[in-house]
């Protein structure tokens, strides 16, 4: 009797493992058959992902999640995550993919796979549409506000030595200097530019020159070549038809541009 119970438990455990393995081996099939796509997204990191006044998640990452869901013919179920748990959620099967302004690192690549890039994440110089500054050389003689000691400060100092750099002690002062017309341009990060556009929708803020770029990738479960291929197919089509540029322009105030594969 005891022996029979042990055997039954072992058979049950083996069956569960088999089901888990099959499920893990067919994430794309599961998404398509169940018509449900679980996407881990940030809800505390505007403009990529945050909860709006209506308590509904919104942002660049959410728009990309909805794009993928639409193309896969699946209902998108948003799974809120933070920076530390967005990869573990993917590893433990709590989400089918993570779209959370995720950068590509060698360490992460050991435990998850990546799509091609879907959005920029950059430090850049921004300014009004009529201010010519499409190259570092064109920054010569122009006033640029920047936060003292920031990455943007270091990058700007190194790449545009001819610029007239106006340093401020915090981001608010840096932004205020530009908004009030004290400077012609402002050196900021993607998230700050996106927040400015959200707060001032009519703001004349355009990308001029990129100081550095560490783009965002969709994080995918390890060893899912069919899923990676399908996501890449959708993203490449979205790049070609301008959909990714449109999403990026909406949230970052600049097109996605020439994203790396």
């Amino acid at each position: 009797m005891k022996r029979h119970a042990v055997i039954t438990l072992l058979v049950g455990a083996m069956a569960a493992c088999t089901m888990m393995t099959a499920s893990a081996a067919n994430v794309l099939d599961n998404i398509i058959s169940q018509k449900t796509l679980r996407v881990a997204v940030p809800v505390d990191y505007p403009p990529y992902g945050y909860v709006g006044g209506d308590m509904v998640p919104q942002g660049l990452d959410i728009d990309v999640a909805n794009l993928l869901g639409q193309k896969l013919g699946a209902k998108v179920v948003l799974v809120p995550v933070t920076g530390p748990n967005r990869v573990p959620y993917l590893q433990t099967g709590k989400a089918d993919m993570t779209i959370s302004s995720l950068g590509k690192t060698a360490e992460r690549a050991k435990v998850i796979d990546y799509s091609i890039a879907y959005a920029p994440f950059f430090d850049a110089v921004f300014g009004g549409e009529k201010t010519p500054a499409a190259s570092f050389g064109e920054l010569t003689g122009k006033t640029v506000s920047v936060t003292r000691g920031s990455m943007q400060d270091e990058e700007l100092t190194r790449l545009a030595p001819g610029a007239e750099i106006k340093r401020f002690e915090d981001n608010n002062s840096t932004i205020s200097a530009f908004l009030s017309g004290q400077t012609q341009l402002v050196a900021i990060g993607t998230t700050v530019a996106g927040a400015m556009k959200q707060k001032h929708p009519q703001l004349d803020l355009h990308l001029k020159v990129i100081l550095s770029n560490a783009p965002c990738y969709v994080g995918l479960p390890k060893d899912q070549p069919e899923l990676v291929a399908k996501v890449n197919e959708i993203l490449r089509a979205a790049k070609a038809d301008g959909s990714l540029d449109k999403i990026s322009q909406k949230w970052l105030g600049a097109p996605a541009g020439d994203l790396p594969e």
Side-chain angles (χ1 to χ4, degrees), residues 181-192:
Q182 294 180 50
T183 61
Q184 298 167 280
L185 303 160
V186 58
I188 48 179
T190 307
T191 54
V192 177

Side-chain angles (χ1 to χ4, degrees), residues 181-222:
Q182 294 180 50
T183 61
Q184 298 167 280
L185 303 160
V186 58
I188 48 179
T190 307
T191 54
V192 177
M196 288 172 68
K197 288 292 288 185
Q198 291 301 300
K199 189 173 183 179
H200 308 282
Q202 305 305 316
L203 180 63
D204 183 17
L205 187 72
H206 296 266
L207 175 68
K208 295 300 179 179
V209 60
I210 293 176
L211 298 171
S212 67
N213 190 10
C216 306
Y217 301 81
V218 179
L220 299 162
K222 199 69 177 172

